[in-house]
Amino acid sequence: MNIRSIDPRLLVGEGILLALAAVALGAGMLFPGDPQSMVAQPLLAPGAQAAHPLGTDMLGRDVAAGLAHGARATLLIGVVSTVFAVVVGGLIGVLSGYFGGWVDNVLGKITELFQTVPPIILVIALTVVLGPSIRSMMIAIAAVSWPPIARLARGEVLALREREFIEACTAVGMTHGRIILRHVLPNIAPPILITISIVVATSILIESGLSFLGLGDSNVTTWGGMIGAGREMIRTEWQLTAIPGTAIMLTVLALNFVAEALSEGRDPRLALG
């Protein structure tokens, strides 16, 4: 592919995501030790000490270390919860669209049941019931993220089910499982993959909101937790919320860039518009 034809949003988005992934993976090497430990005088301004380039918070914790280790936890929550959502939502959507009939009715009602409750209310309720932890946040976020994926997968399968090659596979006696694995899943994968970027971004925002509200794991540093800890001093020490907030903004922006570029690349009519 000619590099001139590559959407610049895709390059920018992938560049930001690769940089964040590198920071998350190398957090232990860049900032060894516990990021929640007091390492210097509280409320050092950014740039005041070379050892702590982003300063310290009200407890003397290194903001840069928290940002790096928080990237690992925040991205992990976003990615793992999205994987669960894609597996559950994709499976329900494929089965619902492929078999139709009572299977579609039952799975459709289950999907509608989860969508009748406002997502933020369901997330908070599940997190409170399961207890504040990384695992409970993953479960809660996955629980509100799979219904849109299920509806997307169902719609794609319904359009695909009437195609001639699917009918030909059925006519020659190919099993349903083989048809789904060899012909249905590969054809519905592109729109699902595009949606994954949006789901990861939404998951990160939800996690940040939960941590901001104090429903996250207090023993694990996350970007939302850093914002929540610094909100009481936002008038005088605004950088304590602005730094992790900027990290969240850049991550979500990068994921949206990737999703938009992939979506328009899949549909040439959008690119021409």
Side-chain angles (χ1 to χ4, degrees):
M1 179 183 294
N2 190 337
I3 192 169
R4 293 181 180 178
S5 65
I6 299 177
D7 193 318
R9 291 173 299 180
L10 184 62
L11 295 177
V12 172
E14 289 181 343
I16 294 174
L17 293 178
L18 286 175
L20 289 172
V23 170
L25 292 174
M29 298 177 59
L30 294 172
F31 302 97
D34 187 357
Q36 298 194 12
S37 298
M38 180 177 176
V39 294
Q41 177 184 346
L43 298 178
L44 283 176
Q49 290 187 6
H52 311 293
L54 297 181
T56 58
D57 65 4
M58 69 289 296
L59 298 178
R61 298 174 295 194
D62 191 343
V63 175
L67 197 68
H69 286 269
R72 176 185 297 177
T74 300
L75 293 177
L76 178 66
I77 293 172
V79 171
V80 172
S81 60
T82 299
V83 169
F84 279 113
V86 169
V87 171
V88 174
L91 179 62
I92 290 177
V94 168
L95 295 178
S96 180
Y98 183 82
F99 290 105
W102 68 268
V103 176
D104 188 19
N105 291 332
V106 172
L107 296 179
K109 294 298 182 184
I110 295 175
T111 304
E112 291 176 1
L113 178 63
F114 275 83
Q115 291 188 307
T116 55
V117 182
I120 189 62
I121 300 298
L122 181 57
V123 167
I124 293 175
L126 288 175
T127 305
V128 171
V129 170
L130 297 175
S133 68
I134 296 296
R135 184 175 63 177
S136 65
M137 282 197 291
M138 290 178 180
I139 295 173
I141 294 171
V144 300
S145 300
W146 71 261
I149 297 176
R151 287 193 171 277
L152 174 62
R154 177 182 178 274
E156 293 290 330
V157 174
L158 284 175
L160 191 67
R161 189 177 61 180
E162 305 302 327
R163 299 283 295 273
E164 291 79 2
F165 70 94
I166 297 293
E167 295 179 353
C169 292
T170 305
V172 298
M174 189 177 292
T175 62
H176 294 307
R178 190 177 179 186
I179 293 174
I180 291 174
L181 291 176
R182 294 193 60 180
H183 299 287
V184 174
L185 292 181
N187 280 282
I188 69 170
I192 299 295
L193 291 176
I194 293 172
T195 306
I196 286 176
S197 300
I198 300 174
V199 176
V200 173
T202 304
S203 300
I204 290 174
L205 290 175
I206 294 175
E207 180 279 324
S208 301
L210 289 174
S211 298
F212 177 82
L213 294 173
L215 296 176
D217 191 337
S218 59
N219 297 317
V220 179
T221 301
T222 64
W223 291 340
M226 294 176 68
I227 295 175
R231 71 181 184 273
E232 296 181 358
M233 305 189 68
I234 194 170
R235 292 181 178 273
T236 57
E237 306 294 335
W238 57 268
Q239 74 276 4
L240 296 180
T241 55
I243 291 173
T246 301
I248 294 172
M249 181 192 69
L250 288 175
T251 305
V252 173
L253 186 64
L255 289 166
N256 284 332
F257 277 169
V258 172
E260 290 175 2
L262 292 176
S263 178
E264 293 187 8
R266 182 171 177 262
D267 190 348
R269 293 173 299 177
L270 295 177
L272 293 174

